[in-house]
Amino acid sequence: MNSRRERGNRAALFDGIEEGGIRASSSYSSHEIDEHENERAIDGLQDRVSFLKKLSGDIHEEVDTHNRMLDRMGNDMDSSRGVLSGTMDKFKMVFETKSSRRMFTLVASFVVLFLVVYYLTR
């Protein structure tokens, strides 16, 4: 019986060591696997970061292009505003004069111009 106990104790003792060894090797394997997964995740993040960097650079270029275009458009609007205000000043001057002859000439010329354009496009 003592030999059975010894065998049982030894088996329990060695089983514990083997289980500990298995646990150690499995934890080592899971640690190794975790490092590989982390490296893959880091590589994926690096790819995403480089993609986002390129994308933000493209967005920056697009914004600069649009800002330049808006500046040109603003300058064009300012110049057209100047021309339009000059024209409106001339119209005010024409309408402020109470000369009916000038008013009739102006209205008649617009009507004739409208009729000519109408017949040419028809």
Side-chain angles (χ1 to χ4, degrees), residues 51-92:
F51 175 73
L52 288 174
K53 183 178 178 182
K54 182 181 179 296
L55 184 64
S56 65
D58 292 345
I59 289 171
H60 179 71
E61 289 176 18
E62 191 72 21
V63 167
D64 284 343
T65 303
H66 284 239
N67 281 338
R68 285 192 300 273
M69 183 174 59
L70 287 173
D71 287 341
R72 282 193 310 261
M73 190 184 317
N75 293 337
D76 291 344
M77 292 299 284
D78 287 341
S79 66
S80 65
R81 186 177 299 137
V83 171
L84 186 61
S85 68
T87 305
M88 292 304 292
D89 289 341
K90 289 178 184 177
F91 271 121
K92 283 180 186 177

Short mmCIF file of all heavy atoms in Angstrom, two decimals, residues 51-92:
data_model
loop_
_atom_site.label_atom_id
_atom_site.label_comp_id
_atom_site.label_asym_id
_atom_site.label_seq_id
_atom_site.Cartn_x
_atom_site.Cartn_y
_atom_site.Cartn_z
N PHE A 51 -2.23 56.35 -44.21
CA PHE A 51 -3.34 56.67 -45.09
C PHE A 51 -4.02 57.97 -44.67
O PHE A 51 -4.32 58.83 -45.49
CB PHE A 51 -4.37 55.52 -45.09
CG PHE A 51 -5.61 55.82 -45.88
CD1 PHE A 51 -5.59 55.84 -47.26
CD2 PHE A 51 -6.80 56.09 -45.23
CE1 PHE A 51 -6.73 56.12 -47.99
CE2 PHE A 51 -7.95 56.38 -45.95
CZ PHE A 51 -7.91 56.39 -47.32
N LEU A 52 -4.25 58.13 -43.35
CA LEU A 52 -4.86 59.36 -42.85
C LEU A 52 -3.97 60.57 -43.07
O LEU A 52 -4.45 61.66 -43.37
CB LEU A 52 -5.21 59.21 -41.37
CG LEU A 52 -6.38 58.29 -41.05
CD1 LEU A 52 -6.52 58.12 -39.55
CD2 LEU A 52 -7.67 58.82 -41.66
N LYS A 53 -2.66 60.38 -42.96
CA LYS A 53 -1.72 61.48 -43.21
C LYS A 53 -1.81 61.91 -44.67
O LYS A 53 -1.86 63.10 -44.97
CB LYS A 53 -0.31 61.03 -42.86
CG LYS A 53 0.72 62.12 -43.01
CD LYS A 53 2.09 61.64 -42.60
CE LYS A 53 3.13 62.73 -42.80
NZ LYS A 53 4.47 62.27 -42.44
N LYS A 54 -1.84 60.94 -45.58
CA LYS A 54 -1.96 61.25 -47.00
C LYS A 54 -3.30 61.93 -47.29
O LYS A 54 -3.38 62.92 -48.02
CB LYS A 54 -1.83 59.98 -47.83
CG LYS A 54 -1.89 60.21 -49.33
CD LYS A 54 -1.79 58.88 -50.07
CE LYS A 54 -1.87 59.05 -51.55
NZ LYS A 54 -3.13 59.56 -52.03
N LEU A 55 -4.34 61.42 -46.67
CA LEU A 55 -5.68 61.98 -46.87
C LEU A 55 -5.76 63.42 -46.35
O LEU A 55 -6.31 64.30 -47.01
CB LEU A 55 -6.72 61.11 -46.17
CG LEU A 55 -8.18 61.48 -46.35
CD1 LEU A 55 -8.58 61.35 -47.81
CD2 LEU A 55 -9.06 60.61 -45.48
N SER A 56 -5.17 63.66 -45.18
CA SER A 56 -5.19 65.03 -44.64
C SER A 56 -4.36 65.96 -45.49
O SER A 56 -4.71 67.14 -45.66
CB SER A 56 -4.72 65.04 -43.19
OG SER A 56 -3.36 64.67 -43.11
N GLY A 57 -3.27 65.48 -46.07
CA GLY A 57 -2.47 66.29 -47.01
C GLY A 57 -3.28 66.65 -48.25
O GLY A 57 -3.24 67.79 -48.73
N ASP A 58 -4.02 65.68 -48.78
CA ASP A 58 -4.88 65.94 -49.94
C ASP A 58 -5.97 66.94 -49.60
O ASP A 58 -6.28 67.83 -50.40
CB ASP A 58 -5.51 64.63 -50.44
CG ASP A 58 -4.49 63.68 -51.05
OD1 ASP A 58 -3.37 64.15 -51.35
OD2 ASP A 58 -4.81 62.49 -51.21
N ILE A 59 -6.54 66.82 -48.42
CA ILE A 59 -7.59 67.75 -47.99
C ILE A 59 -7.00 69.16 -47.87
O ILE A 59 -7.62 70.14 -48.29
CB ILE A 59 -8.23 67.29 -46.67
CG1 ILE A 59 -9.09 66.05 -46.92
CG2 ILE A 59 -9.07 68.39 -46.05
CD1 ILE A 59 -9.59 65.39 -45.64
N HIS A 60 -5.78 69.25 -47.32
CA HIS A 60 -5.12 70.55 -47.17
C HIS A 60 -4.90 71.20 -48.54
O HIS A 60 -5.17 72.40 -48.72
CB HIS A 60 -3.79 70.37 -46.44
CG HIS A 60 -3.02 71.63 -46.26
ND1 HIS A 60 -3.41 72.61 -45.38
CD2 HIS A 60 -1.89 72.08 -46.86
CE1 HIS A 60 -2.56 73.61 -45.44
NE2 HIS A 60 -1.63 73.31 -46.33
N GLU A 61 -4.43 70.42 -49.51
CA GLU A 61 -4.23 70.96 -50.87
C GLU A 61 -5.54 71.42 -51.47
O GLU A 61 -5.61 72.48 -52.11
CB GLU A 61 -3.59 69.90 -51.76
CG GLU A 61 -2.15 69.60 -51.44
CD GLU A 61 -1.60 68.49 -52.29
OE1 GLU A 61 -2.20 68.17 -53.35
OE2 GLU A 61 -0.56 67.92 -51.90
N GLU A 62 -6.59 70.64 -51.27
CA GLU A 62 -7.91 70.99 -51.82
C GLU A 62 -8.43 72.28 -51.19
O GLU A 62 -8.97 73.15 -51.87
CB GLU A 62 -8.89 69.84 -51.57
CG GLU A 62 -10.20 69.97 -52.30
CD GLU A 62 -10.07 69.73 -53.79
OE1 GLU A 62 -9.11 69.09 -54.24
OE2 GLU A 62 -10.96 70.21 -54.52
N VAL A 63 -8.24 72.42 -49.87
CA VAL A 63 -8.69 73.62 -49.18
C VAL A 63 -7.92 74.84 -49.68
O VAL A 63 -8.50 75.91 -49.91
CB VAL A 63 -8.55 73.45 -47.65
CG1 VAL A 63 -8.70 74.77 -46.91
CG2 VAL A 63 -9.59 72.45 -47.14
N ASP A 64 -6.60 74.69 -49.87
CA ASP A 64 -5.80 75.81 -50.39
C ASP A 64 -6.27 76.21 -51.78
O ASP A 64 -6.39 77.41 -52.09
CB ASP A 64 -4.32 75.43 -50.44
CG ASP A 64 -3.66 75.46 -49.07
OD1 ASP A 64 -4.25 76.06 -48.15
OD2 ASP A 64 -2.56 74.88 -48.94
N THR A 65 -6.55 75.23 -52.63
CA THR A 65 -7.04 75.52 -53.97
C THR A 65 -8.37 76.26 -53.93
O THR A 65 -8.56 77.26 -54.64
CB THR A 65 -7.20 74.21 -54.77
OG1 THR A 65 -5.96 73.51 -54.78
CG2 THR A 65 -7.66 74.46 -56.19
N HIS A 66 -9.27 75.82 -53.08
CA HIS A 66 -10.57 76.47 -52.97
C HIS A 66 -10.45 77.88 -52.40
O HIS A 66 -11.18 78.78 -52.82
CB HIS A 66 -11.52 75.62 -52.13
CG HIS A 66 -12.05 74.44 -52.86
ND1 HIS A 66 -13.39 74.21 -53.06
CD2 HIS A 66 -11.43 73.39 -53.47
CE1 HIS A 66 -13.56 73.11 -53.74
NE2 HIS A 66 -12.37 72.59 -54.00
N ASN A 67 -9.54 78.07 -51.44
CA ASN A 67 -9.33 79.41 -50.89
C ASN A 67 -8.82 80.37 -51.95
O ASN A 67 -9.28 81.52 -52.02
CB ASN A 67 -8.36 79.37 -49.71
CG ASN A 67 -9.01 78.90 -48.44
OD1 ASN A 67 -10.22 78.99 -48.29
ND2 ASN A 67 -8.22 78.39 -47.52
N ARG A 68 -7.88 79.91 -52.78
CA ARG A 68 -7.39 80.77 -53.87
C ARG A 68 -8.51 81.10 -54.85
O ARG A 68 -8.66 82.24 -55.29
CB ARG A 68 -6.22 80.10 -54.59
CG ARG A 68 -4.92 80.13 -53.82
CD ARG A 68 -3.74 79.72 -54.69
NE ARG A 68 -3.85 78.38 -55.23
CZ ARG A 68 -3.44 77.28 -54.60
NH1 ARG A 68 -2.89 77.38 -53.40
NH2 ARG A 68 -3.56 76.10 -55.16
N MET A 69 -9.33 80.10 -55.18
CA MET A 69 -10.44 80.32 -56.10
C MET A 69 -11.45 81.31 -55.51
O MET A 69 -11.93 82.22 -56.20
CB MET A 69 -11.13 79.00 -56.42
CG MET A 69 -12.24 79.11 -57.43
SD MET A 69 -12.95 77.53 -57.93
CE MET A 69 -13.54 76.88 -56.39
N LEU A 70 -11.75 81.19 -54.22
CA LEU A 70 -12.68 82.11 -53.57
C LEU A 70 -12.11 83.53 -53.50
O LEU A 70 -12.86 84.51 -53.65
CB LEU A 70 -13.04 81.61 -52.17
CG LEU A 70 -13.96 80.40 -52.12
CD1 LEU A 70 -14.10 79.90 -50.69
CD2 LEU A 70 -15.32 80.72 -52.70
N ASP A 71 -10.81 83.64 -53.29
CA ASP A 71 -10.19 84.97 -53.29
C ASP A 71 -10.32 85.63 -54.66
O ASP A 71 -10.64 86.82 -54.76
CB ASP A 71 -8.71 84.88 -52.89
CG ASP A 71 -8.52 84.61 -51.41
OD1 ASP A 71 -9.47 84.86 -50.64
OD2 ASP A 71 -7.41 84.16 -51.04
N ARG A 72 -10.05 84.86 -55.72
CA ARG A 72 -10.20 85.41 -57.09
C ARG A 72 -11.64 85.82 -57.34
O ARG A 72 -11.91 86.86 -57.94
CB ARG A 72 -9.73 84.38 -58.12
CG ARG A 72 -8.24 84.27 -58.27
CD ARG A 72 -7.85 83.49 -59.51
NE ARG A 72 -8.54 82.23 -59.64
CZ ARG A 72 -8.04 81.04 -59.30
NH1 ARG A 72 -6.82 80.97 -58.80
NH2 ARG A 72 -8.72 79.95 -59.45
N MET A 73 -12.57 84.97 -56.91
CA MET A 73 -13.98 85.28 -57.12
C MET A 73 -14.38 86.54 -56.35
O MET A 73 -15.13 87.38 -56.85
CB MET A 73 -14.87 84.10 -56.67
CG MET A 73 -16.31 84.27 -57.09
SD MET A 73 -17.43 82.97 -56.50
CE MET A 73 -16.54 81.48 -56.75
N GLY A 74 -13.86 86.69 -55.13
CA GLY A 74 -14.14 87.89 -54.35
C GLY A 74 -13.61 89.14 -55.04
O GLY A 74 -14.28 90.18 -55.08
N ASN A 75 -12.40 89.04 -55.59
CA ASN A 75 -11.83 90.18 -56.32
C ASN A 75 -12.66 90.52 -57.56
O ASN A 75 -12.90 91.69 -57.86
CB ASN A 75 -10.38 89.90 -56.72
CG ASN A 75 -9.46 89.81 -55.53
OD1 ASN A 75 -9.76 90.34 -54.46
ND2 ASN A 75 -8.34 89.13 -55.70
N ASP A 76 -13.11 89.49 -58.27
CA ASP A 76 -13.96 89.71 -59.45
C ASP A 76 -15.28 90.36 -59.05
O ASP A 76 -15.78 91.26 -59.75
CB ASP A 76 -14.23 88.40 -60.19
CG ASP A 76 -12.99 87.84 -60.87
OD1 ASP A 76 -12.00 88.60 -61.02
OD2 ASP A 76 -12.99 86.65 -61.22
N MET A 77 -15.85 89.92 -57.93
CA MET A 77 -17.11 90.51 -57.47
C MET A 77 -16.92 91.97 -57.08
O MET A 77 -17.78 92.81 -57.35
CB MET A 77 -17.67 89.71 -56.28
CG MET A 77 -18.15 88.32 -56.66
SD MET A 77 -19.47 88.32 -57.84
CE MET A 77 -20.82 88.78 -56.80
N ASP A 78 -15.79 92.27 -56.45
CA ASP A 78 -15.51 93.67 -56.09
C ASP A 78 -15.40 94.54 -57.33
O ASP A 78 -15.95 95.65 -57.38
CB ASP A 78 -14.23 93.77 -55.27
CG ASP A 78 -14.40 93.25 -53.85
OD1 ASP A 78 -15.56 93.15 -53.40
OD2 ASP A 78 -13.37 92.95 -53.21
N SER A 79 -14.72 94.05 -58.35
CA SER A 79 -14.57 94.85 -59.58
C SER A 79 -15.92 95.00 -60.29
O SER A 79 -16.24 96.08 -60.79
CB SER A 79 -13.53 94.24 -60.51
OG SER A 79 -13.97 92.99 -60.98
N SER A 80 -16.72 93.94 -60.32
CA SER A 80 -18.03 94.05 -60.97
C SER A 80 -18.96 94.96 -60.16
O SER A 80 -19.79 95.66 -60.73
CB SER A 80 -18.66 92.68 -61.17
OG SER A 80 -18.94 92.08 -59.92
N ARG A 81 -18.80 94.97 -58.84
CA ARG A 81 -19.59 95.86 -58.01
C ARG A 81 -19.26 97.32 -58.34
O ARG A 81 -20.15 98.17 -58.40
CB ARG A 81 -19.33 95.59 -56.53
CG ARG A 81 -20.23 96.40 -55.61
CD ARG A 81 -20.01 96.06 -54.14
NE ARG A 81 -20.31 94.65 -53.91
CZ ARG A 81 -19.56 93.85 -53.16
NH1 ARG A 81 -18.47 94.29 -52.58
NH2 ARG A 81 -19.91 92.59 -52.98
N GLY A 82 -17.99 97.60 -58.59
CA GLY A 82 -17.59 98.95 -58.98
C GLY A 82 -18.20 99.37 -60.30
O GLY A 82 -18.71 100.49 -60.45
N VAL A 83 -18.17 98.47 -61.28
CA VAL A 83 -18.76 98.77 -62.59
C VAL A 83 -20.26 98.95 -62.46
O VAL A 83 -20.85 99.88 -63.04
CB VAL A 83 -18.43 97.63 -63.59
CG1 VAL A 83 -19.21 97.79 -64.88
CG2 VAL A 83 -16.94 97.57 -63.86
N LEU A 84 -20.91 98.09 -61.70
CA LEU A 84 -22.35 98.18 -61.53
C LEU A 84 -22.76 99.46 -60.80
O LEU A 84 -23.77 100.09 -61.17
CB LEU A 84 -22.87 96.95 -60.76
CG LEU A 84 -24.38 96.82 -60.62
CD1 LEU A 84 -25.03 96.72 -61.99
CD2 LEU A 84 -24.71 95.60 -59.79
N SER A 85 -21.99 99.84 -59.79
CA SER A 85 -22.34 101.08 -59.09
C SER A 85 -22.18 102.29 -60.01
O SER A 85 -22.97 103.24 -59.95
CB SER A 85 -21.50 101.24 -57.82
OG SER A 85 -20.14 101.47 -58.15
N GLY A 86 -21.16 102.28 -60.90
CA GLY A 86 -21.01 103.35 -61.88
C GLY A 86 -22.20 103.42 -62.83
O GLY A 86 -22.72 104.50 -63.14
N THR A 87 -22.67 102.27 -63.26
CA THR A 87 -23.83 102.22 -64.16
C THR A 87 -25.07 102.71 -63.44
O THR A 87 -25.87 103.46 -64.02
CB THR A 87 -24.05 100.77 -64.65
OG1 THR A 87 -22.84 100.30 -65.26
CG2 THR A 87 -25.18 100.68 -65.64
N MET A 88 -25.24 102.30 -62.19
CA MET A 88 -26.41 102.76 -61.44
C MET A 88 -26.36 104.26 -61.20
O MET A 88 -27.40 104.93 -61.24
CB MET A 88 -26.50 102.02 -60.10
CG MET A 88 -26.83 100.54 -60.23
SD MET A 88 -28.34 100.21 -61.14
CE MET A 88 -29.53 100.87 -60.01
N ASP A 89 -25.18 104.81 -60.99
CA ASP A 89 -25.06 106.26 -60.84
C ASP A 89 -25.50 106.97 -62.11
O ASP A 89 -26.19 108.00 -62.07
CB ASP A 89 -23.63 106.65 -60.48
CG ASP A 89 -23.24 106.25 -59.06
OD1 ASP A 89 -24.17 106.01 -58.24
OD2 ASP A 89 -22.03 106.17 -58.78
N LYS A 90 -25.13 106.42 -63.26
CA LYS A 90 -25.55 107.02 -64.54
C LYS A 90 -27.06 106.94 -64.71
O LYS A 90 -27.69 107.88 -65.19
CB LYS A 90 -24.83 106.34 -65.70
CG LYS A 90 -23.35 106.67 -65.76
CD LYS A 90 -22.68 105.94 -66.90
CE LYS A 90 -21.18 106.23 -66.87
NZ LYS A 90 -20.46 105.50 -67.89
N PHE A 91 -27.64 105.79 -64.34
CA PHE A 91 -29.10 105.66 -64.43
C PHE A 91 -29.80 106.65 -63.49
O PHE A 91 -30.81 107.25 -63.86
CB PHE A 91 -29.57 104.24 -64.08
CG PHE A 91 -29.63 103.31 -65.25
CD1 PHE A 91 -28.88 102.14 -65.25
CD2 PHE A 91 -30.44 103.59 -66.34
CE1 PHE A 91 -28.94 101.28 -66.32
CE2 PHE A 91 -30.50 102.72 -67.41
CZ PHE A 91 -29.74 101.57 -67.42
N LYS A 92 -29.27 106.82 -62.31
CA LYS A 92 -29.85 107.78 -61.37
C LYS A 92 -29.82 109.18 -61.96
O LYS A 92 -30.79 109.95 -61.87
CB LYS A 92 -29.10 107.77 -60.04
CG LYS A 92 -29.43 106.61 -59.15
CD LYS A 92 -28.63 106.70 -57.85
CE LYS A 92 -28.84 105.47 -57.01
NZ LYS A 92 -28.02 105.51 -55.78
#
